[in-house]
């Protein structure tokens, strides 16, 4: 069993994580707390393997909690704020989950923890990570075109339209980029107000751009820390 704690001052966020935890039989929730100080006593007397830790909390932030707690267990940050990704990476946390947390992204973080802890990944869990549908249909040129997720390189916004770039062609459809983003699985990442990339296709990146083959895509200023955290931690 992987013994877990949740430390978060948002009751709804705690309930979401509890729901995700309940779907994986080897995860045991030992307790949940509204602030890090309240969790200290449990950490002293209970063996804990993994903490789901919010960052901005009353009394003690999640970052200060890690810095000032000796022998802290492995941590997965759960936060609504993008701007802590790089700092969290420097703290050697397992992963950085941006709220609202989908089960597929949560599951990916758990598998990363298992890999770090050299724990086996059960076959039935791997099946959960694979979406029931590996494709979607988009309306283009008065017909619905089937597009497999793994074929998408990146998606580009063009005001009221988007252009979906595939390895051998591109497809244009009328839809807002934010709406299309909500349909994509966890491996897709918004890097700019005008671009979403398939992180499985990223061949290189810097602090200012992402490369997919010979194509260079800019990283927006407000997305920079989330992108750095995801590409360094989430993969």
């Amino acid at each position: 069993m992987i013994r877990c704690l949740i430390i978060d001052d948002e009751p709804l966020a705690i309930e979401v994580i509890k729901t995700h935890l309940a779907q994986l039989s080897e995860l045991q929730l030992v307790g949940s707390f509204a602030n890090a100080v309240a969790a200290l006593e449990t950490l002293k007397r209970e063996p804990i393997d993994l903490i789901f830790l919010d960052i901005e909390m009353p009394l003690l932030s999640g970052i200060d909690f890690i810095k000032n707690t000796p022998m802290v267990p492995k941590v997965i940050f759960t936060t609504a704020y993008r701007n802590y990704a790089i700092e969290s990476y420097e703290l050697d946390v397992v992963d950085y989950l941006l709220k609202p947390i989908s089960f597929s992204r949560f599951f990916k973080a758990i598998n990363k923890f298992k890999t770090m802890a050299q724990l086996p990944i059960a076959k039935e869990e791997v099946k959960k990570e694979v979406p029931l549908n590996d494709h979607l249909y988009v309306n283009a040129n008065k017909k619905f075109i089937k597009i497999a997720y793994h074929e998408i390189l990146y998606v580009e916004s063009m005001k009221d339209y988007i252009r979906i770039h595939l390895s051998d062609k591109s497809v244009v459809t009328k839809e807002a980029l934010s709406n299309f983003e909500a349909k994509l699985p966890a491996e897709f990442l918004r890097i700019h107000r005008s671009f979403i990339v398939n992180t499985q296709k990223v061949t290189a990146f810097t602090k200012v751009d992402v490369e997919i083959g010979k194509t260079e895509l800019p990283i927006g200023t407000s997305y920079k820390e989330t992108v750095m955290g995801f590409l360094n931690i989430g993969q």
Side-chain angles (χ1 to χ4, degrees):
M1 296 294 290
I2 300 171
R3 294 168 58 83
C4 307
L5 286 187
I6 302 172
I7 306 176
D8 198 309
D9 64 332
E10 299 177 30
L12 180 58
I14 290 177
E15 289 306 312
V16 169
I17 297 171
K18 283 182 177 180
T19 300
H20 292 340
L21 283 169
Q23 297 188 56
L24 301 174
S25 59
E26 80 276 30
L27 300 182
Q28 178 185 354
L29 179 60
V30 176
S32 60
F33 302 90
N35 64 75
V37 174
L40 289 174
E41 190 61 36
T42 298
L43 279 172
K44 290 178 183 178
R45 68 172 189 265
E46 297 277 357
I48 301 298
D49 303 302
L50 181 62
I51 301 176
F52 296 92
L53 181 63
D54 191 13
I55 294 180
E56 291 205 357
M57 293 184 293
L59 301 180
L60 188 66
S61 74
I63 289 175
D64 288 338
F65 173 76
I66 292 177
K67 289 180 177 179
N68 295 287
T69 303
M71 302 298 291
V72 67
K74 290 295 184 182
V75 168
I76 293 175
F77 272 140
T78 59
T79 179
Y81 300 93
R82 303 174 182 272
N83 56 319
Y84 294 107
I86 292 178
E87 187 173 2
S88 69
Y89 176 62
E90 294 172 350
L91 293 172
D92 195 30
V93 300
V94 174
D95 212 336
Y96 182 94
L97 302 183
L98 196 62
K99 299 174 183 176
I101 301 166
S102 67
F103 178 74
S104 62
R105 187 67 184 88
F106 175 87
F107 183 76
K108 183 182 290 187
I110 295 300
N111 275 347
K112 183 169 185 184
F113 168 78
K114 288 182 179 180
T115 300
M116 294 173 67
Q118 298 184 331
L119 297 173
I121 299 175
K123 291 181 180 179
E124 62 268 20
E125 292 178 5
V126 173
K127 290 179 182 178
K128 288 181 181 178
E129 191 179 31
V130 179
L132 294 177
N133 294 319
D134 59 359
H135 63 274
L136 78 169
Y137 288 90
V138 298
N139 189 350
N141 297 323
K142 298 182 179 180
K143 60 183 176 181
F144 288 91
I145 300 174
K146 180 179 178 180
I147 296 178
Y149 293 127
H150 70 86
E151 293 179 348
I152 300 174
L153 302 178
Y154 64 96
V155 185
E156 178 184 5
S157 174
M158 303 186 301
K159 293 187 178 179
D160 296 331
Y161 292 79
I162 57 170
R163 184 183 298 275
I164 305 166
H165 294 263
L166 310 174
S167 56
D168 59 344
K169 63 181 179 180
S170 64
V171 177
V172 175
T173 185
K174 187 173 183 179
E175 187 164 7
L177 188 65
S178 56
N179 290 343
F180 191 73
E181 181 182 12
K183 301 176 182 178
L184 297 172
E187 62 265 25
F188 286 84
L189 178 66
R190 185 83 169 260
I191 66 166
H192 188 277
R193 65 181 181 180
S194 298
F195 295 105
I196 298 170
V197 300
N198 182 346
T199 58
Q200 302 299 317
K201 305 293 186 180
V202 172
T203 52
F205 68 93
T206 70
K207 291 184 177 180
V208 296
D209 63 28
V210 167
E211 295 180 18
I212 298 178
K214 295 181 180 180
T215 302
E216 296 181 2
L217 303 172
I219 298 174
T221 302
S222 61
Y223 295 88
K224 182 178 296 184
E225 296 197 19
T226 299
V227 173
M228 293 298 103
F230 188 92
L231 293 177
N232 279 301
I233 298 175
Q235 301 302 305

